[in-house]
């Protein structure tokens, strides 16, 4: 799940659709229910986000090279696991994210927006060849 969709409504919808395992990317400044920020947690620690009360998430991070520097990417997962397990799971997730980012810009999909749950494109003429 992308960082722009942290909400109880989104989690309820995912559960309604039958998803039992959800993984999220997180920003370091996400506020936790106990007042801390995500950047203050220990690997594998169970936390709750301010925006998702009652949803237990397990935190970790991955440090990856970006533009000649190292950047820390935070991960949250509904399944428990130590830092190494969570990190391994989410490294796979970022491979998928990289693919989508490439596809989005290589094929012009960055011009398409979804308006509803059913996926009605905002720019349907892109699919009609006009």
């Amino acid at each position: 799940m992308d960082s722009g969709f942290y909400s109880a409504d989104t989690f309820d919808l995912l559960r309604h659709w039958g998803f039992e395992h959800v993984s999220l990317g997180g920003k370091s400044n996400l506020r936790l229910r106990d007042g801390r920020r995500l950047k203050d947690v220990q690997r594998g620690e169970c936390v709750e986000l301010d925006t998702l009360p009652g949803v237990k998430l397990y935190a970790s991070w991955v440090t990856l090279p970006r533009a000649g520097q190292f950047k820390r990417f935070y991960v949250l997962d509904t399944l428990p696991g130590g830092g190494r397990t969570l990190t391994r799971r989410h490294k796979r997730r970022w491979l998928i994210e990289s693919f989508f980012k490439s596809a989005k810009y290589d094929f012009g999909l960055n011009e398409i927006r979804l308006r509803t749950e059913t996926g009605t494109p905002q720019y349907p003429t892109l699919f009609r060849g006009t």
Side-chain angles (χ1 to χ4, degrees):
M1 188 159 86
D2 196 0
S3 61
F5 300 98
Y6 300 149
S7 75
D9 289 341
T10 301
F11 258 80
D12 289 344
L13 187 59
L14 290 171
R15 286 183 182 134
H16 173 75
W17 287 339
F19 287 92
E20 295 177 13
H21 176 214
V22 177
S23 61
L24 318 148
K27 296 180 181 178
S28 64
N29 65 347
L30 279 175
R31 185 173 296 280
L32 306 177
R33 297 277 295 167
D34 63 11
R36 294 180 299 155
R37 301 286 180 169
L38 186 56
K39 65 183 177 183
D40 301 323
V41 304
Q42 301 294 315
R43 278 194 159 130
E45 185 176 343
C46 183
V47 298
E48 285 184 47
L49 296 178
D50 242 2
T51 56
L52 293 172
V55 177
K56 303 239 183 268
L57 299 167
Y58 299 86
S60 190
W61 57 84
V62 178
T63 304
L64 299 172
R66 288 290 185 265
Q69 298 180 345
F70 286 93
K71 184 174 179 181
R72 185 173 279 185
F73 294 89
Y74 290 87
V75 296
L76 298 160
D77 206 298
T78 55
L79 292 180
R84 181 173 283 174
T85 300
L86 295 171
T87 301
R88 188 174 52 246
R89 261 185 228 151
H90 290 279
K91 279 187 177 180
R92 292 183 196 135
R93 178 185 178 268
W94 276 304
L95 289 172
I96 295 166
E97 291 292 330
S98 295
F99 166 77
F100 281 121
K101 189 171 194 171
S102 293
K104 184 175 172 179
Y105 290 97
D106 292 346
F107 297 105
L109 299 176
N110 57 320
E111 298 299 323
I112 297 172
R113 306 289 185 267
L114 298 178
R115 287 186 165 183
T116 69
E117 287 180 28
T118 58
T120 305
Q122 183 175 345
Y123 305 106
T125 56
L126 291 174
F127 295 107
R128 292 188 197 140
T130 59

